[in-house]
Amino acid sequence: LRATVGSRELDVPVGKGLGGGTNVNACLVVPPAADDFKSWPSPWKETMMPSIHKIQDAQLKHGAIHEFATSINEMMVVDSDSLRQPEDIWREACFPSFVTRIPLAVEKTKRGDYKRKNYYDGILEPLLKANPQIAKSITFLSGTRVQRLLFDERRVVGVQCESVDEICFQIQARVEVILSAGALETPALLLASGIGQEEDLKKAEIPSLGCNIPVGYNLRDHVMIPRLVCHGFTRYDLSPAAVQALFYANDGEHRFHFIFFDGSGGPAIFAQSAYLLLGRYRVSFKPRWLSKVTNFVVTVVARLTRLLFYLTFQYTPIFYLLRHFVFATNIVLLNPASKGRVSIVRSNNDSSRACRRSDLSISVEDVYLSDERDVDALRRGWAQSEKHCNGWFKQGVELVPGVLVPFNREEMFRKYIRASCLPYFHWCCSCPIGRVVDGDLRVKGVDKLRICDASVFVTIPSANPTLTCTGLGYRLSVVMFENGGKKKDQ
């Protein structure tokens, strides 16, 4: 998977295995704002927040959330509903006064440290243990990749799969198929199976099923810009997720949050940030093979650079300097106007068999700053960070972008925003309710197929989307049960 951010091309982290994306995210368990669902159709806009609260209750019940405080003396709670925090925590002082109690999907071990608690470990596994009869009816296939959907005319009857040993097999659906592969892979599977807009399928030489729905369009993600400050020696508690504090801000039109983290919590974060900022700039030559070789070399060099950064930060005295003298914040725009798409290119044009997912290379296009309003919004977010964090920032020397960009020149600052903006990997809305699926999450124009993941979001939530995804799944299960789930065959 590749994401295009300006002229940079970035790798996309993918969470594989039980728990999905919760295997690779920052473990934050932060709910969206209550009004994030006001433009969703009924009954979703009325039922999503109660469903999310159900998930939070289950996580707390099974010990899947640990509220970590960055100070033993002060613990302030993030007020996500109002997107505000108590003003008294923003005092004219250095960093240790900027304190938040952050709910994390981690578990405290007997040794006193923490380990990741993904959503399978924290929600599904306890339910399966408590209901062994239900557990017997569920089969998890590891090392298996779904390649395409199987049809009887326009009715989905199953899926074609491939194991790690490259053995192909089919799974037949008795009732229906529910796709939950995420905002990138779900559109890719639909397109590989001939479901999408006629023009896109024609370009990829994939026979169309005739649905002609905008699969892969309207893709959204949060966008952020980094800020790095060197300050005087400080000592504070470590967060298991490297995130030391969260602050939400709302200027009436745009929503932001500021994530504070230190170098000790994540040499990998600094290495990944450097890698994202450097990116991989694609080149094009003639003949074509020279482009492929050159871009392969560029990719290898970029990944080796990331490894070098990580080893340097982790195993040299630089780690101590990052731990005590450097702090960073990301300024995140939570309601961007830019909309992109999931683009496909068919790399295997073997007409003797149907197209499979492995025949397609997919990329993310035009999601970041394709709408000029987002550049203006990030500029305002920067001003918000100056306002709320002024006391702390005056205590240190800004390294990035202060040393690199002269702030008295507006055009230079806007160039910095475009050159340094980072993806948050919170993709959603690529198969939204009303355009690709109906109110019961059934794919339009196809029978016996539903989608239940972030791709069906109508709008992007004002928080990381994991809780919203899980609440969506809970609510769909309620809908299916109410619409006939008590019957034996369902």
Side-chain angles (χ1 to χ4, degrees), residues 54 86 106 125 172 185 250 301 348 365 380 401 451 458:
K54 286 275 189 181
V106 295
E125 187 177 42
Q172 300 296 318
E185 284 293 343
N250 185 351
V301 170
N348 187 336
E365 297 180 350
R380 295 170 69 175
I451 301 175
V458 178

Side-chain angles (χ1 to χ4, degrees), residues 231-250:
H231 56 76
F233 181 86
T234 54
R235 186 182 299 277
Y236 38 78
D237 297 336
L238 297 181
S239 162
V243 177
Q244 296 292 88
L246 284 173
F247 179 76
Y248 282 78
N250 185 351

Side-chain angles (χ1 to χ4, degrees), residues 24-90:
V24 297
N25 65 14
C27 300
L28 300 181
V29 187
V30 182
D35 63 351
D36 280 342
F37 306 106
K38 64 182 180 181
S39 60
W40 289 40
S42 295
W44 298 101
K45 64 181 177 182
E46 295 90 4
T47 58
M48 280 302 296
M49 284 306 294
S51 299
I52 289 171
H53 294 155
K54 286 275 189 181
I55 298 301
Q56 290 176 296
D57 292 342
Q59 288 178 302
L60 288 168
K61 178 181 178 181
H62 299 297
I65 295 180
H66 174 77
E67 288 191 333
F68 176 80
T70 55
S71 170
I72 60 174
N73 298 319
E74 299 181 62
M75 294 192 297
M76 299 296 180
V77 180
V78 176
D79 182 3
S80 182
D81 288 339
S82 65
L83 290 175
R84 293 281 184 184
Q85 284 195 78
E87 292 294 331
D88 59 355
I89 70 170
W90 299 100

